[in-house]
């Protein structure tokens, strides 16, 4: 009986530690963003995974806007994904440096240099704005756990179509920002830029 209680206590401690661990990781990311510390943020972001996440979303929105899947069927969709990805990657690259990423997360807007990719949403919907993170309890309540992943829906309390789904993944024993599911309006805006670039390229 005594050993059973000890094992149960150890398991409870481990479970609590795992529950707190990604929250601490998220707090570190939020602190780096709030302090606009690009160097610190760069160490807490898995840029390869984040780039893949954003590219996939923009290409999906691009296919939806252009109707490529309906026009060309399954093979056409595969082709459209390949073409869309090749055009979407430069747009995503413009959004994924420490400065533009911080602007996007805190202000809900960013603009690429030299007429590059730009997006804008109301500041109140920016996922890492001060108003979005003012309630730590509400932020935690809007999160969910996965195996090696942790998800937070920001800003908490907003409608699902106005929230960002922020994904943290455990990489080399450190929680890193690995994905951001964009609100649908922002996905469509970036997809429209993708269509514009394709049009300009073909002219």
């Amino acid at each position: 009986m005594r050993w059973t209680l000890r094992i149960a206590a150890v398991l409870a401690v481990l479970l609590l530690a795992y529950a707190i661990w990604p929250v601490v990781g998220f707090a570190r990311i939020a602190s780096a963003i709030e302090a606009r510390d690009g160097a610190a943020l760069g160490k807490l972001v898995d840029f390869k995974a984040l780039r893949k996440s954003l590219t996939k979303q923009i290409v999906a929105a691009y296919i939806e806007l252009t109707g490529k899947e309906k026009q060309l069927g399954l093979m056409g969709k595969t082709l459209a994904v390949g073409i869309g990805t090749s055009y979407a990657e430069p747009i995503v690259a413009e959004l994924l440096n420490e400065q533009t990423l911080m602007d996007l997360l805190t202000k809900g807007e960013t603009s690429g240099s030299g007429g590059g990719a730009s997006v804008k949403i109301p500041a109140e919907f920016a996922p890492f704005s001060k108003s979005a993170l003012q309630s730590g309890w509400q932020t935690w309540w809007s999160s969910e756990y996965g195996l090696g992943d942790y998800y937070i829906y920001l800003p908490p309390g907003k409608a699902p179509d106005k929230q960002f789904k922020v994904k943290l993944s455990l990489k080399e024993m450190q929680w890193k920002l690995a994905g951001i599911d964009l609100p649908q309006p922002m996905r469509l805006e970036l997809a429209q830029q993708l269509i514009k670039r394709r049009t300009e390229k073909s002219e």
Side-chain angles (χ1 to χ4, degrees), residues 38-91:
L41 181 62
K43 296 177 182 178
L44 298 171
V45 177
D46 183 342
F47 283 101
K48 182 178 180 180
L50 185 55
R51 187 178 298 113
K52 183 177 179 180
S53 167
L54 293 175
T55 300
K56 182 178 179 181
Q57 294 172 64
I58 296 172
V59 171
Y62 162 78
I63 292 174
E64 178 184 341
L65 284 177
T66 57
K68 294 292 185 182
E69 183 177 4
K70 292 181 180 179
Q71 294 174 11
L72 303 175
L74 182 60
M75 291 297 293
K77 180 181 178 181
T78 302
L79 178 62
V81 168
I83 295 173
T85 299
S86 67
Y87 282 93
E89 284 177 343
I91 292 178

Side-chain angles (χ1 to χ4, degrees), residues 157-175:
K158 297 295 183 182
D161 63 339
K162 295 177 180 177
Q163 284 183 318
F164 291 73
K165 182 180 180 181
V166 178
K167 175 184 177 182
L168 272 62
S169 293
L170 190 58
K171 302 286 184 179
E172 300 175 348
M173 301 304 292
Q174 185 177 33
W175 290 96

Side-chain angles (χ1 to χ4, degrees), residues 17-18 32 35 40 52 78 87 130 134 136 151 178 190:
Y18 183 79
K52 183 177 179 180
T78 302
Y87 282 93
K130 290 183 178 180
Q134 61 184 355
Y151 304 91
L190 288 170

Side-chain angles (χ1 to χ4, degrees), residues 7-195:
I7 293 173
V10 170
L11 291 175
V13 170
L14 291 175
L15 183 61
L16 179 61
Y18 183 79
I20 294 174
W21 191 14
V23 176
V24 173
F26 173 75
R28 291 181 64 197
I29 293 171
S31 295
I33 292 172
E34 183 178 5
R36 302 194 69 80
D37 188 340
L41 181 62
K43 296 177 182 178
L44 298 171
V45 177
D46 183 342
F47 283 101
K48 182 178 180 180
L50 185 55
R51 187 178 298 113
K52 183 177 179 180
S53 167
L54 293 175
T55 300
K56 182 178 179 181
Q57 294 172 64
I58 296 172
V59 171
Y62 162 78
I63 292 174
E64 178 184 341
L65 284 177
T66 57
K68 294 292 185 182
E69 183 177 4
K70 292 181 180 179
Q71 294 174 11
L72 303 175
L74 182 60
M75 291 297 293
K77 180 181 178 181
T78 302
L79 178 62
V81 168
I83 295 173
T85 299
S86 67
Y87 282 93
E89 284 177 343
I91 292 178
V92 172
E94 290 170 4
L95 298 175
L96 284 187
N97 62 66
E98 290 84 354
Q99 184 61 48
T100 54
L101 186 58
M102 284 190 292
D103 287 342
L104 177 64
L105 297 176
T106 58
K107 301 177 184 177
E109 64 179 30
T110 184
S111 57
S113 58
S118 62
V119 290
K120 184 174 182 178
I121 59 171
E124 63 181 296
F125 298 124
F128 281 81
S129 64
K130 290 183 178 180
S131 60
L133 299 177
Q134 61 184 355
S135 173
W137 172 257
Q138 191 177 26
T139 299
W140 178 80
W141 190 254
S142 298
S143 66
E144 59 186 41
Y145 293 81
L147 187 60
D149 295 316
Y150 180 64
Y151 304 91
I152 311 103
Y153 295 85
L154 298 171
K158 297 295 183 182
D161 63 339
K162 295 177 180 177
Q163 284 183 318
F164 291 73
K165 182 180 180 181
V166 178
K167 175 184 177 182
L168 272 62
S169 293
L170 190 58
K171 302 286 184 179
E172 300 175 348
M173 301 304 292
Q174 185 177 33
W175 290 96
K176 293 189 175 185
L177 178 62
I180 302 175
D181 284 3
L182 303 173
Q184 184 68 358
M186 185 175 284
R187 297 185 198 183
L188 295 176
E189 184 177 340
L190 288 170
Q192 287 169 349
Q193 293 187 44
L194 173 56
I195 294 172

